[in-house]
Amino acid sequence: MSNVNAESFDCDPVRLTSRVAAIPRLLLPQCCELCAARTCGSLLCAACAEALPRVGAACPVCALPSATESACGACLALPPPYAATVAAFAYAFPIDRLLQRIKYGGRIALAQWAGAALAAALHGPRARRTGRPRPDCIVALPLAAARQRDRGFNQASEIAARVARDTGLPLATPLARITAGPPQTALSWTERGRNVRGAFAVRAPVGGARIALVDDVMTTGATLAEAARTLLHAGAEQVECWVVARTLPP
């Protein structure tokens, strides 16, 4: 913007906006979301961030525990429609509280933090070791229209926007949620697959695309599996799941 004769901006407006938005966090006192300690512009202090529950040795397909870090028996016996799963954290205290504050408390700033953590996990040693081709685009798991109106936002979209910014991958919106059953959290694990059957539709071409589906939590994987199946049926080449947290067996 310093060159008045230029035909376009000589700076990145998105990056500039992000930096301007960060100024209040740098100037005003910040407290850790978990322990209330003073932080230097971060939502979590260094000690709390370091203590967050992580996923250990895991199956590269479903991100459930696997001592050998190879495909687990369940994925070998009945491969899911998604090719891989990357999870930044295990869904346990206090990650569960932080993600609930996004979904039910409207703490959008935490969605930015969650997206940054997920993007960082994508560069971790386990994520790199798979040798998968880089996805062509990121797709946030959509909410049903009525539920999004009630909530006012889609937490997966907020997280995906930050992941896209940090990875440089484009965001795409080919997927729509066309049915609104009861929330998955209200159902047993066996009921969740039936609840999301036929829940999605593809509204834009995805032929040959490698897609990364982004969501906040993967529990049984039923919702992500149905979304992945829908994209593959529409012609996508490959779908993988990127989630902030993975629910692990007790």
Side-chain angles (χ1 to χ4, degrees):
M1 286 188 290
S2 56
N3 183 359
V4 295
N5 296 317
E7 296 182 358
S8 61
F9 289 115
D10 57 7
C11 68
D12 184 344
V14 174
R15 185 177 300 172
L16 178 63
T17 302
S18 176
R19 289 175 177 174
V20 170
I23 291 175
R25 291 198 299 271
L26 298 174
L27 297 180
L28 299 175
Q30 296 291 307
C31 294
C32 175
E33 286 279 335
L34 296 174
C35 72
R38 291 287 295 272
T39 67
C40 298
S42 302
L43 292 177
L44 268 65
C45 69
C48 285
E50 181 65 25
L52 293 174
R54 309 280 173 170
V55 176
C59 167
V61 180
C62 68
L64 289 179
S66 171
T68 61
E69 298 191 346
S70 56
C72 65
C75 288
L76 289 173
L78 188 63
Y82 45 83
T85 300
V86 176
F89 303 104
Y91 190 66
F93 182 84
I95 285 293
D96 53 356
R97 304 300 193 270
L98 294 174
L99 294 182
Q100 287 163 15
R101 288 178 195 173
I102 301 172
K103 188 180 293 187
Y104 306 116
R107 290 283 285 122
I108 302 300
L110 280 172
Q112 292 291 311
W113 167 84
L118 177 51
L122 295 168
H123 300 291
R126 290 193 181 97
R128 290 197 302 266
R129 196 159 51 233
T130 60
R132 295 185 309 276
R134 180 177 168 89
D136 299 311
C137 63
I138 292 172
V139 174
L141 194 73
L143 284 176
R147 188 157 297 152
Q148 181 154 339
R149 279 196 300 270
D150 291 342
R151 190 172 295 169
F153 63 96
N154 176 5
Q155 71 280 356
S157 294
E158 300 295 333
I159 294 166
R162 178 57 187 263
V163 176
R165 194 187 90 182
D166 287 4
T167 61
L169 289 171
L171 268 176
T173 56
L175 197 63
R177 179 86 184 237
I178 57 174
T179 66
Q184 293 286 78
T185 54
L187 302 174
S188 70
W189 283 35
T190 55
E191 292 173 322
R192 294 185 181 201
R194 292 193 296 270
N195 185 49
V196 295
R197 197 168 296 150
F200 299 99
V202 173
R203 305 298 198 194
V206 295
R210 296 187 299 271
I211 294 171
L213 268 175
V214 170
D215 201 10
D216 56 346
V217 181
M218 186 179 194
T219 304
T220 65
T223 306
L224 285 161
E226 182 65 20
R229 193 175 293 112
T230 302
L231 289 165
L232 292 171
H233 285 170
E237 179 181 325
Q238 188 180 76
V239 179
E240 55 188 80
C241 301
W242 294 355
V243 296
V244 179
R246 179 63 159 111
T247 301
L248 302 181

